[in-house]
Amino acid sequence: MRKQLLLITLAVFLYGCNEKSIAPCDCCETSYLKIDDALSCIESNPRETSFDDRLILIAFNNLTNKGWDVIEDLEIITVAKRNYLLVLANKDEINSYAKVTPELRDLIKKYDGQESFFIVVNQALYPFRDWDANVPKNRIISELQLGNGP
């Protein structure tokens, strides 16, 4: 009986040690109204490793004062805050921004007539994925968990 209890305790302990917590993202708790502000925060808070995988989630809508609540789902917000900086923007401001890539401009055109949509970009403003308000929650979470992967 003692051996079984010891094995169970050891297994639980090893499992707990194996679980790695995801470090909180510096700069991800707040939302930004300008891309430069988000990039400035990344620059001021470098990662310990040379690989910086923090991405920018651009929310296009007319509600610049809602912050992370613009997403309206706590589970999506929790996943997004692990690795994304939220920028609340409108199409005109982004299109007039000098550093915007042609790929991002083309993607914004795709959503002409849409009131609300989201685009994930890397720090060079190259878009990785996008969705509008009609996409199911599980797909959004799946897309956010991909990071800057395929």
Side-chain angles (χ1 to χ4, degrees), residues 76-144:
I76 294 173
I77 291 171
T78 302
V79 170
K81 278 186 175 182
R82 289 181 188 150
N83 214 29
Y84 295 87
L85 283 75
L86 179 66
V87 175
L88 303 168
N90 68 46
K91 296 175 196 176
D92 296 331
E93 287 178 15
I94 295 295
N95 280 325
S96 66
Y97 184 66
K99 297 177 185 175
V100 169
T101 62
E103 294 86 0
L104 181 54
R105 280 199 174 100
D106 290 343
L107 199 52
I108 291 169
K109 286 179 190 174
K110 171 183 167 183
Y111 289 101
D112 270 349
Q114 294 270 354
E115 186 174 313
S116 179
F117 61 96
F118 301 86
I119 299 177
V120 172
V121 297
N122 62 11
Q123 294 173 28
L125 303 184
Y126 183 82
F128 282 99
R129 56 196 54 88
D130 58 281
W131 63 87
D132 62 16
N134 300 322
V135 173
K137 172 182 171 176
N138 59 350
R139 178 172 167 236
I140 294 170
I141 290 173
S142 174
E143 299 264 345
L144 291 171

Side-chain angles (χ1 to χ4, degrees), residues 30-104:
T30 60
S31 59
Y32 304 89
L33 297 177
K34 296 181 187 229
I35 291 175
D36 282 337
D37 293 342
L39 294 174
S40 175
C41 188
I42 290 173
E43 193 174 300
S44 302
N45 298 284
R47 289 277 167 124
E48 292 179 10
T49 63
S50 61
F51 179 67
D52 192 339
D53 59 350
R54 291 173 287 184
L55 300 173
I56 298 172
L57 174 60
I58 304 174
F60 291 90
N61 63 23
N62 299 327
L63 304 171
T64 56
N65 61 349
K66 282 190 93 173
W68 278 99
D69 292 336
V70 74
I71 296 176
E72 297 179 355
D73 185 283
L74 187 57
E75 188 175 359
I76 294 173
I77 291 171
T78 302
V79 170
K81 278 186 175 182
R82 289 181 188 150
N83 214 29
Y84 295 87
L85 283 75
L86 179 66
V87 175
L88 303 168
N90 68 46
K91 296 175 196 176
D92 296 331
E93 287 178 15
I94 295 295
N95 280 325
S96 66
Y97 184 66
K99 297 177 185 175
V100 169
T101 62
E103 294 86 0
L104 181 54

